[in-house]
């Protein structure tokens, strides 16, 4: 599955690195077979432009021998990519951006993924795409690298997950309190899934 997300509007207003020529325009993760595993566009592109970019990646980057340059000029932007096992991490950047810096940023992102998934693989991106995007957005805002410390990135992700778990647990407790005292028929009429009744009951 492929997906394309955009940062919140506030983030786009406060950090428009791609638009100013000092950040990523987009990042696309694609397998050797041409399957898009993750895609996020930090700059505005029409759907036809996005399809053209993906087509150029699959037709011009994937067949390139490993010893060839990892940079491909494309006029208004250039591709900078690195291959890790079966995945290509392809980033589109403005022509004036330092390619070596971009390659290092890609590697930082991969290290963060490795730290979270304990050696990331293609299946991790397939089944946990939302986690990969969370890491991406924790590191990059508007295409600009805002957090390069892997430990801080992973710490923020874990804290967010713990908060979600606490809220989910709290929601379950409230639901059980609301269900208590209602018959199964009353719960059903309210659109709830009948749960176990409170109390110890008879033994």
């Amino acid at each position: 599955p492929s997906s394309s997300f955009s940062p919140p509007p506030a983030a786009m207003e406060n950090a428009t690195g791609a638009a100013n020529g000092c950040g990523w325009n987009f990042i696309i993760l694609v397998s050797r077979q041409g399957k898009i595993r993750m895609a996020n566009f930090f700059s505005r592109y029409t759907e036809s432009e996005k399809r053209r970019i993906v087509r150029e990646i699959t037709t011009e980057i994937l067949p390139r021998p490993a010893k060839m340059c990892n940079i491909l000029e494309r006029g208004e932007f250039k591709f900078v990519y690195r291959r890790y096992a079966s995945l290509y991490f392809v980033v589109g950047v403005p022509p004036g951006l330092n390619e070596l810096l971009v390659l290092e940023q890609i590697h930082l992102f991969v290290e963060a993924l490795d730290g979270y998934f304990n050696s990331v693989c293609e299946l991790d991106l397939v089944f946990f795409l939302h986690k990969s995007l969370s890491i991406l957005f924790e590191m990059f805002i508007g295409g600009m690298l805002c957090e390069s410390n892997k430990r801080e990135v992973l710490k923020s992700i874990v804290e967010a997950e713990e908060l979600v778990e606490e809220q989910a647990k709290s929601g379950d407790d409230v639901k059980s309190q609301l269900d208590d005292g209602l018959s199964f028929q009353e719960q059903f009429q309210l659109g709830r899934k009948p749960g176990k009744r409170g109390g110890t009951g008879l033994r």
Side-chain angles (χ1 to χ4, degrees), residues 106-123:
I106 294 174
H107 190 65
L108 285 173
F109 179 48
V110 174
E111 285 186 331
L113 292 174
D114 272 338
Y116 182 85
F117 291 108
N118 191 22
S119 185
V120 66
C121 67
E122 188 174 344
L123 288 179

Side-chain angles (χ1 to χ4, degrees), residues 29-38 58 62 87 122:
L29 275 57
V30 58
S31 69
R32 286 182 298 178
Q33 293 75 31
K35 300 291 185 181
I36 304 300
R37 296 311 184 191
M38 190 184 84
T58 55
L62 298 189
L87 282 174
E122 188 174 344

Side-chain angles (χ1 to χ4, degrees), residues 66-112:
K67 293 184 178 180
M68 291 192 69
C69 179
N70 289 36
I71 303 160
L72 203 59
E73 297 282 351
R74 276 295 169 268
E76 70 276 14
F77 66 87
K78 55 188 173 185
F79 291 120
V80 180
Y81 68 93
R82 295 186 72 160
R83 177 181 171 182
Y84 294 87
S86 63
L87 282 174
Y88 286 81
F89 287 68
V90 184
V91 173
V93 298
L97 196 59
N98 188 312
E99 300 92 349
L100 296 179
L101 176 63
V102 177
L103 290 171
E104 183 63 25
Q105 291 175 344
I106 294 174
H107 190 65
L108 285 173
F109 179 48
V110 174
E111 285 186 331

Side-chain angles (χ1 to χ4, degrees), residues 7 15 23-24 27 38 40 42 89 101-116 131-157:
W24 294 3
I27 178 172
M38 190 184 84
N40 186 78
F42 296 102
F89 287 68
L101 176 63
V102 177
L103 290 171
E104 183 63 25
Q105 291 175 344
I106 294 174
H107 190 65
L108 285 173
F109 179 48
V110 174
E111 285 186 331
L113 292 174
D114 272 338
Y116 182 85
K131 300 294 185 183
S132 304
L133 287 166
S134 296
I135 295 172
L136 176 68
F137 295 152
E138 192 67 34
M139 298 180 66
F140 294 88
I141 298 179
M144 293 186 65
L145 179 63
C146 295
E147 180 56 77
S148 60
N149 189 316
K150 180 179 68 175
R151 292 183 178 179
E152 289 298 323
V153 171
L154 298 181
K155 178 182 176 182
S156 298
I157 297 298

